[in-house]
């Protein structure tokens, strides 16, 4: 209620509440922007500390003359003093220019733009499935805690969570991609598209979907455990609460008590966690993308690290760190919407 | 981009839409050869792209002046059908083949070649990938359509190995900024056996056979490079028939494919040699000592003793699973003419190594570790590529053997670019290094000359910091020697001197391991004919020679079946979800108050 009465121009209200919507929004967004700026600064200096002369790395043992090296340095602006490079970098960043990749000789922003879609598709699909699975199993496990289901689901989830992703990916690839014994190899073992798919939209969509199955499955297997565990523990905390007794006393059926009363309250910390992790998961896709040659941001980062391609690393670093910050802000805002107590504070 | 986004957005929804006509059958009589590529194509621009995958692609779509024969790597006419040199060896006149056309119909002329080299000489961006080929050029001219005249600053025996793609002038003269040009307008105008028609970065490149190729069209109709970041996955794709050729296999992967039905293995000699650098006292081009090499290694007797203590046969057996040859001379045996074997090799002999170190005055201290005459213990750092598992194994073996001769070794696995940096700076005692040799030996031989040492400003491409007058003399003579037999002799002389000085120990030459679907293709031309490879060649022979079998030209139904199975699964899941939702609705209706 309080937030509805606060108008943008209502100085008295803003001054009094301090926690009204616009103020809260401004604080969170401002904090986010400061973080993004710090990430940009860090991104610049972090990759200057990496050992290695970029020009040497680029020419990798080719017999180039000193003049050629010098020209290359000039072209990349590496002959400028560090502060000048930093100012140029910040100026370009404001214009949305992330520089030019050494390896691909193309704008970094363009490369990241190309790879963003596939990663969002993979991470998005995997997160949706992992959240659904984790919440459902976590709820069941908590409601009947100590049961065989609780023990089995928790230990399976924790086992998958601790297994190396690369190894799990290869096992999934062998079993469902190639086939073992009676299981036929149903899904492609790598890439995002089959080049020979006819240029009909529905065929292309199905083709991408088929390629998506194994990497998404691998990711789900690895990440659903955390949702299960958080949901389980926060529901367990709610279970002794008085309002549940009240609800039962009203004569509500057990699963309605769970669904209508306990779960919504237990969801609160879980939702925050989901958004906090969404930012991290993009970076976490590196291994899965590498196993399945999925042309996303993770793979791009992996390649850039191997060279190392400084502008590209800088760009992916900003985008990955930026997505964590954005998701943090979203989680903060969402928490306020979901939890009246934060609003009142 | 828009379309791709749309596809991405529709994927989830698309899963729920049944559709009968999904995979279109391949056209009858068409044969597509699919090759799994482990490395990225960094650029389609032949002036910029330098990754192996990119250069492989350029060989298929752009002409070069000369090429390497598939039999034995000898220089063979390609776009130039003949050539002659002036008496002073400074002027080369190439006669350009008549009747060769670009894929847009224009004739390929001497002017295209002159334009390409000239641009590389004038435009630093155009010199990015292949600038070294024109470094010694004084001028390039095309007096007429079929004559190309190149003048060099000094005599150069490598003029028949100008491995730079030639581009069509009428396309490229309109490009002001080479560095910013992606060259991705399909089809890319070339004149090689294949035409690049489709490209998705990080995913695949599709090439159609060039029906008007001057040597005659290839026997396959389409060639496709499919990216596989993970060679384990590419092996599985080969097994499954999703790709037809897999390359750069590890010994374990190669062994796992043995006896597999419909898969043929190719064990080719590799172009790469692996060496252990033994820092002989690094210095820059001005002769000033640099780096932090151990002083004992400046003594050639210590370097030779270390080489005696390395069991190369064991390394080939244990590290390479036997897929390689024991190292000796500097150039790998795949280049038969230039390869040299030491007549009196330093056999693995720990007792002999101990004797030599004793004789040289490096006595053991109370801890069993030898000391220099000045009393400094022989504690050596061995720098390894942390990314290469082979390096780790080599390191462990060498550490053990050297411990037996009283030398303590500390292993230092570091990142690849740190290996580059620290070897360039002379900041190592022992280090694993290796180079891919070209059919022309000049490139790798030059790495050991005094001239390749780093300048005080940091240029140069040093390898083992040899810098030996006798070696340099043989090197300089071979570069100016135009009689093939005499040049071979000089190249071998240089290798003998390198071996004598032991500033590096060539450990082994690794085999190149490949496999292909023999049920679908045959006839890949190997290079060289004896023990050669079918991918990653110096030329286009492997794919150009590939012949489809009857099975490869008929359509495959497997994809349709898979898709139908997937669809069935999706329908089941959708049905289950629908049922659950319906039950949920009913339940809440009952409970409504």
């Amino acid at each position: 209620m309080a937030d509805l009465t606060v108008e943008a121009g209502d100085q008295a209200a803003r001054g009094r509440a301090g926690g009204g919507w616009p103020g809260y929004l401004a604080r969170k967004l401002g904090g986010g922007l400061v973080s993004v700026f710090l990430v940009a600064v860090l991104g610049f200096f972090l990759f200057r500390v990496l050992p290695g002369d970029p020009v040497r790395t680029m020419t990798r043992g080719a017999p180039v003359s000193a003049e050629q090296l010098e020209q290359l340095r000039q072209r990349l602006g590496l002959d400028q003093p560090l502060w000048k490079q930093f100012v140029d970098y910040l100026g370009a960043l404001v214009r949305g220019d992330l520089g030019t990749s050494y390896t691909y000789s193309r704008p970094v922003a363009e490369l990241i733009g190309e790879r963003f879609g596939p990663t969002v598709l993979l991470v998005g699909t995997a997160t949706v499935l992992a959240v659904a699975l984790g919440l459902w199993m976590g709820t069941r496990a908590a409601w009947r805690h100590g049961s065989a289901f609780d023990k089995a689901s928790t230990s399976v989830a924790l086992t998958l969570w601790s297994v190396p992703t690369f190894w799990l990916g290869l096992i999934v690839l062998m079993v469902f991609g190639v086939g073992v014994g009676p299981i036929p190899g149903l899904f492609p073992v790598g890439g995002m598209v089959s080049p020979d798919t006819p240029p009909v939209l529905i065929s292309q969509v199905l083709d991408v979907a088929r390629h998506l199955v194994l990497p998404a499955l691998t990711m789900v297997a690895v990440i659903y455990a955390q949702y299960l565990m958080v949901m389980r523990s926060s529901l367990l905390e709610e279970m002794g609460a008085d309002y549940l007794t009240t609800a039962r006393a009203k004569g509500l059926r057990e699963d309605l008590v769970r669904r209508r009363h306990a779960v919504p309250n237990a969801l609160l910390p879980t939702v925050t966690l989901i958004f906090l992790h969404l930012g991290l998961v993009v970076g976490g896709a590196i291994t899965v993308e590498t196993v399945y040659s999925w042309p996303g941001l993770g793979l791009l980062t992996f390649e850039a690290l191997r060279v190392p391609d400084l502008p590209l690393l800088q760009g992916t670093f900003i985008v990955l760190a930026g997505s964590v910050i954005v998701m943090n802000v979203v989680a903060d805002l969402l928490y306020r919407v979901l939890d009246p107590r934060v609003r009142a504070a | 981009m828009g379309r791709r986004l749309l596809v991405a957005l529709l994927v989830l929804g698309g899963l729920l839409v049944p559709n009968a006509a999904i995979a279109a059958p391949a056209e009858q009589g068409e044969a597509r050869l699919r090759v799994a590529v482990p490395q990225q194509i960094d650029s389609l621009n032949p002036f910029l792209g330098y990754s192996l995958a990119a250069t492989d692609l350029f060989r298929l779509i752009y002409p070069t002046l000369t090429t390497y024969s598939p039999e034995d790597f000898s220089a063979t006419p390609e776009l130039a059908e003949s050539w002659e040199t002036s008496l002073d060896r400074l002027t080369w006149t190439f006669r350009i083949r008549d009747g060769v056309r670009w894929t847009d119909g224009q004739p390929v002329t001497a002017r295209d070649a002159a334009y390409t080299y000239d641009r590389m000489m004038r435009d630093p961006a155009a010199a990015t990938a292949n600038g070294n080929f024109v470094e010694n050029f004084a001028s390039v001219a095309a007096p007429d359509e079929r004559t190309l005249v190149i003048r060099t600053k000094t005599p150069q025996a490598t003029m028949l190995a100008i491995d730079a793609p030639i581009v069509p002038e009428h396309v490229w003269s309109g490009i002001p900024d080479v560095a910013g040009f992606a060259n991705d307008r399909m089809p890319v105008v070339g004149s090689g056996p294949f035409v690049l028609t489709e490209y998705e970065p990080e995913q695949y490149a599709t090439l159609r056979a060039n029906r008007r190729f001057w040597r005659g069209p290839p026997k396959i109709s389409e060639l496709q490079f499919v990216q596989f970041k993970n060679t384990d996955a590419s092996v599985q794709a080969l097994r499954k028939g999703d790709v037809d050729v897999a390359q750069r296999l590890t010994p374990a992967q190669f062994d796992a494919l043995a006896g597999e039905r419909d898969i043929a293995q190719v064990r080719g000699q590799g172009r790469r040699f692996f060496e252990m650098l033994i820092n002989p006292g690094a210095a820059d081009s001005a002769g000033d000592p640099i780096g932090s090499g151990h002083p004992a290694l400046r003594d050639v007797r210590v370097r030779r003793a270390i080489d005696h203590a390395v069991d190369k046969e064991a390394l080939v057996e244990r590290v390479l699973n036997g897929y390689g040859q024991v190292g000796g001379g500097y150039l790998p045996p795949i280049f038969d003419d230039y390869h040299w074997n030491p007549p009196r090799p330093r056999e693995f002999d720990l007792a002999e190594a101990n004797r030599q170190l004793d004789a040289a005055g490096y006595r053991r201290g109370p801890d069993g570790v030898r000391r220099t005459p000045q009393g400094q213990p022989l504690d050596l750092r061995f720098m390894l590529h942390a990314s290469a598992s082979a390096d780790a194994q080599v390191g462990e073996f060498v550490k053990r053997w050297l411990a037996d001769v009283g030398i303590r070794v500390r292993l230092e696995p570091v990142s690849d670019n740190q290996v580059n940096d620290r070897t360039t700076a002379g900041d190592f005692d022992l280090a694993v290094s290796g180079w891919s040799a070209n059919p022309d030996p000049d490139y790798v031989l030059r790495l050991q000359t005094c001239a390749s040492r780093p300048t005080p400003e940091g240029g140069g491409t040093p390898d083992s910091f040899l810098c030996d007058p006798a070696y340099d003399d043989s090197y300089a003579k071979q570069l100016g020697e135009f009689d093939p037999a005499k040049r071979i002799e000089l190249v071998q002389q240089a290798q003998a001197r390198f071996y004598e000085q032991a500033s590096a120990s060539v450990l082994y030459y690794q085999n190149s391991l490949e496999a292909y679907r023999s049920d679908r293709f045959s006839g890949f031309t190997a290079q060289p004919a004896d023990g050669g490879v079918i991918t990653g060649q110096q030329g286009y022979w492997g794919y150009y020679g590939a012949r489809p079998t009857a099975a490869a030209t008929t359509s495959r139904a497997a994809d349709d079946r898979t898709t139908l199975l997937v669809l069935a699964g999706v329908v089941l899941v959708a049905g289950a979800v629908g049922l659950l939702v319906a039950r949920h609705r009913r339940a809440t209706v009952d409970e409504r108050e």
Side-chain angles (χ1 to χ4, degrees):
Chain A
M1 266 316 266
D3 53 314
L4 290 175
T5 62
V6 178
E7 296 289 333
D10 187 347
Q11 289 199 346
R14 222 191 318 171
R16 176 172 42 86
W21 251 122
Y24 185 75
L25 196 69
R27 256 202 330 275
K28 288 294 161 193
L29 287 182
L33 281 176
V34 169
S35 309
V36 169
F37 175 76
L38 289 178
V39 159
V41 174
L42 189 67
F44 180 83
F45 289 103
L46 186 65
F47 295 110
R48 293 300 179 290
V49 177
L50 271 190
D53 175 358
V55 176
R56 282 253 140 237
T57 312
M58 282 180 74
T59 50
R60 252 179 294 181
V64 282
S65 63
E67 296 89 73
Q68 281 174 325
L69 286 177
E70 202 37 56
Q71 276 162 350
L72 211 51
R73 271 205 182 88
Q74 265 171 28
R75 211 171 84 208
L76 300 172
L78 292 169
D79 54 339
Q80 307 283 342
L82 198 62
W83 67 266
K84 178 89 170 44
Q85 289 184 41
F86 182 62
V87 171
D88 288 349
Y89 158 81
L90 281 186
L93 200 61
V94 171
R95 294 192 304 271
D97 176 4
L98 292 173
T100 306
S101 151
Y102 297 166
T103 4
Y104 298 87
S105 310
R106 286 179 55 204
V108 169
E110 213 176 288
L111 288 165
I112 291 181
E114 265 172 21
R115 310 291 204 279
F116 203 69
T119 295
V120 168
L121 177 66
L122 173 60
V123 170
T125 312
T127 308
V128 167
L129 294 177
V131 165
L133 187 69
L135 294 194
W136 180 75
M137 290 184 89
T139 310
R140 296 271 145 169
W143 208 250
R144 287 185 279 149
H145 65 105
S147 69
F149 177 84
D150 181 22
K151 283 178 191 148
S153 63
T154 315
S155 45
V156 167
L158 286 182
T159 309
L160 288 173
W161 171 249
S162 45
V163 151
T165 311
F166 200 85
W167 182 80
L168 183 69
L170 278 177
I171 298 292
V172 169
L173 186 151
M174 301 271 269
V175 174
F176 299 105
V178 186
V180 175
I183 310 170
L186 289 180
F187 300 101
V189 295
M192 190 172 84
V193 294
S194 310
D196 47 347
T197 308
V200 185
L201 191 60
I202 185 68
S203 317
Q204 291 189 333
V205 167
L206 283 171
D207 181 50
V208 172
R210 278 181 51 216
H211 282 82
L212 183 62
V213 173
L214 296 189
L217 183 69
T218 308
M219 264 190 107
V220 168
V222 175
I223 63 175
Y224 87 93
Q226 54 187 337
Y227 302 119
L228 187 157
M229 294 315 289
V230 171
M231 190 61 203
R232 182 176 176 276
S233 61
S234 68
L235 191 55
L236 276 177
E237 250 171 61
E238 299 291 331
M239 272 170 63
D242 291 342
Y243 70 89
L244 291 185
T245 320
T246 314
R248 287 200 185 92
K250 280 200 316 189
L252 283 182
R253 236 176 49 196
E254 191 63 13
D255 70 311
L256 267 196
V257 173
R258 188 181 71 220
R259 258 202 330 258
R260 289 262 181 83
H261 297 273
V263 169
N265 281 303
L267 262 179
L268 214 57
T270 321
V271 169
T272 327
L273 177 89
I274 291 167
F275 277 90
L276 288 183
H277 275 128
L278 259 184
L280 296 174
V281 159
V282 175
I286 291 179
T287 327
V288 174
E289 288 186 0
T290 312
V291 173
Y292 291 100
S293 311
W294 186 264
L297 271 185
L299 196 53
L300 190 71
T301 313
F302 175 74
E303 289 293 335
L305 256 173
R306 282 212 320 204
V307 173
D309 188 333
L310 289 188
L312 193 50
L313 272 178
Q314 227 165 248
T316 49
F317 175 77
I318 289 172
V319 169
L320 295 182
S323 60
V324 174
I325 294 170
V326 168
M327 285 305 162
N328 255 309
V329 173
V330 171
D332 277 347
L333 298 180
L334 210 65
Y335 205 80
R336 202 182 147 88
V337 173
L338 292 177
D339 190 345
R341 281 167 302 184
V342 182
R343 247 176 296 169
Chain B
M1 189 61 214
R3 183 176 185 88
R4 215 173 325 150
L5 200 68
L6 189 61
V7 170
L9 286 173
L10 279 174
V11 162
L12 290 167
L15 268 167
L16 300 169
V17 183
N19 187 302
I22 301 131
E27 286 166 58
Q28 284 297 321
E30 292 266 296
R32 175 192 289 133
L33 177 70
R34 297 152 307 169
V35 182
V37 185
Q39 201 196 13
Q40 68 199 2
I41 295 166
D42 53 345
S43 172
L44 291 183
N45 183 330
F47 291 114
L48 304 179
Y50 58 85
S51 74
L52 216 56
T55 44
D56 275 359
L57 192 72
F58 299 148
R59 286 180 209 286
L60 299 170
I61 59 183
Y62 288 109
T64 48
L65 217 45
T66 54
T67 189
Y68 298 105
S69 87
E71 289 81 28
D72 57 1
F73 289 110
S74 56
T76 306
E78 183 67 16
L79 191 57
E81 56 183 10
S82 63
W83 47 81
E84 55 197 38
T85 50
S86 64
L87 281 176
D88 63 1
R89 306 282 186 193
L90 289 174
T91 306
W92 288 73
T93 309
F94 293 90
R95 183 92 179 136
I96 301 299
R97 196 175 297 279
D98 200 14
V100 183
R101 289 190 174 272
W102 294 108
T103 45
D104 62 359
Q106 303 261 5
V108 183
T109 70
R111 292 192 216 292
D112 292 310
Y115 168 79
T116 305
Y117 298 149
D118 191 59
R119 181 122 200 200
M120 284 157 64
M121 288 161 66
R122 285 174 204 283
D123 182 349
T128 305
N130 299 306
N132 58 306
F133 289 115
V134 298
E135 225 181 323
N136 189 34
F137 283 16
S139 70
V140 184
D144 64 65
E145 301 251 298
R146 298 191 54 203
T147 313
L148 177 74
V149 182
I150 302 176
R151 289 190 55 81
T152 58
K153 295 173 196 158
T154 55
Q156 190 176 333
T158 59
M159 284 299 289
L160 298 180
I162 305 172
D163 207 4
I166 292 169
V167 300
E169 181 180 7
H170 63 275
V171 174
W172 287 80
S173 56
I175 315 287
D177 174 25
V178 167
F181 183 59
N183 194 31
D184 55 1
R185 256 229 336 263
M186 301 292 149
V188 172
V189 178
S191 98
F194 293 93
V195 195
L196 183 62
T197 54
E198 209 184 341
Y199 175 64
E200 272 298 328
E202 292 289 324
Q203 299 191 51
Y204 61 89
T206 306
L207 300 103
R208 297 284 306 173
N210 178 4
R211 295 275 149 229
R212 289 194 294 188
F213 183 52
W214 65 271
R215 252 185 237 274
K219 287 147 207 92
I220 53 173
S221 50
E222 212 168 88
L223 174 62
Q224 205 158 54
F225 292 114
V226 189
Q227 292 270 300
F228 272 94
K229 287 294 141 168
N230 165 2
T231 47
D232 285 318
S234 72
V235 168
Q236 301 308 343
L238 181 78
R239 271 214 174 106
K240 219 182 143 186
D242 283 353
V243 296
D244 302 307
V245 179
Q247 52 182 322
R248 294 218 243 160
L249 306 179
T250 64
Q253 290 166 343
F254 190 73
D255 282 341
L257 288 173
E260 194 105 351
R261 203 163 53 93
D262 298 333
I263 290 179
Q265 294 168 288
V266 181
R267 179 184 172 178
Q269 292 181 320
R271 289 199 291 128
R272 203 169 172 78
F273 62 82
F274 288 81
E275 55 181 352
M276 178 175 73
L277 304 180
I278 310 172
N279 191 342
D284 65 17
S285 58
D288 295 324
I290 56 168
S292 60
H294 196 284
L297 299 179
R298 283 175 215 153
D299 188 337
V300 66
R301 295 171 301 178
V302 175
R303 301 202 298 266
R304 286 191 195 134
I306 288 177
D307 194 26
H308 259 302
V310 174
D311 187 350
K312 294 163 191 166
E313 262 166 50
L315 292 180
V316 169
E317 277 316 306
R318 306 287 295 279
V319 179
L320 302 182
N321 282 20
Y323 293 116
Q325 281 120 295
V326 170
Y330 192 54
L331 292 162
I334 189 172
F335 304 117
D336 208 11
D337 286 344
Y338 294 114
H339 178 64
W340 168 86
N341 268 320
R344 280 181 297 115
R346 290 186 284 266
E347 303 285 357
F348 174 61
D349 188 342
L350 293 174
E352 175 62 25
N354 269 316
R355 255 196 308 280
Q356 289 188 3
L357 287 167
D358 285 339
Y362 295 83
R363 309 236 167 270
R364 283 181 194 258
D367 53 357
V369 176
R370 291 179 185 276
R371 303 280 194 274
T372 61
Q374 290 75 33
Q376 194 177 347
L378 263 65
D379 272 326
L380 302 182
R381 300 158 297 164
F382 190 2
M383 187 162 58
L384 310 167
H385 297 85
S387 61
S389 56
D391 277 30
Q393 287 174 281
V394 168
E396 288 299 335
F397 278 113
V398 168
K399 184 179 174 171
R400 215 179 315 150
W401 290 321
L402 289 189
D404 284 343
V405 298
I407 298 176
R408 199 155 50 197
V409 172
R410 196 174 71 225
L411 302 180
E412 292 187 335
V414 297
S415 72
D416 290 10
N417 64 310
Q418 252 180 301
V419 173
N420 281 345
D421 276 6
R422 285 181 51 189
T423 43
T424 306
D427 209 0
F428 65 98
D429 297 325
L430 306 173
V432 173
S433 179
W435 297 83
S436 283
N438 294 324
D440 191 284
D442 179 66
Y443 171 63
V444 283
L445 285 175
R446 176 162 129 160
L447 299 168
Q448 307 297 346
T449 61
C450 296
S452 74
R453 292 178 304 172
T455 57
E457 300 83 51
T461 312
D463 187 44
S464 76
F465 289 93
L466 174 63
C467 191
D468 173 70
Y471 179 89
D472 271 20
D473 186 49
S474 307
Y475 171 79
K477 279 188 184 145
Q478 66 83 27
L479 190 58
E481 180 55 66
F482 289 79
D483 177 341
K486 282 191 193 141
R487 185 163 180 228
I488 288 171
E489 209 183 296
L490 287 162
V491 167
Q492 300 201 339
Q493 217 170 58
Q495 291 182 76
R497 183 66 189 168
F498 175 72
Y499 189 77
E500 220 171 276
Q501 289 301 307
S503 58
S505 163
V506 178
L507 301 175
Y508 48 71
Y509 320 103
Q510 190 170 15
N511 286 157
S512 161
L513 304 175
E514 308 164 333
Y516 66 89
R517 295 292 302 201
S518 53
D519 55 336
R520 294 177 35 86
F521 293 93
S522 67
F524 296 93
T525 309
Q527 184 189 42
D530 183 23
V533 289
I534 63 173
T535 70
Q537 297 183 343
Q538 305 280 302
Y540 47 69
W541 311 107
Y543 305 127
Y544 180 63
R547 275 193 305 273
T549 63
T553 46
T554 50
S555 67
R556 295 175 313 136
D559 280 353
D560 299 20
R561 195 202 56 189
T562 313
T563 316
L564 282 174
L565 278 170
V566 172
L567 275 178
V570 166
V571 169
L572 274 177
V573 170
V577 169
L579 270 175
L580 280 174
V581 170
R583 217 193 62 180
H584 176 93
R585 284 260 166 80
R586 217 173 318 126
T588 44
V589 167
D590 290 349
E591 293 287 342
R592 269 175 199 156
E593 291 137 54

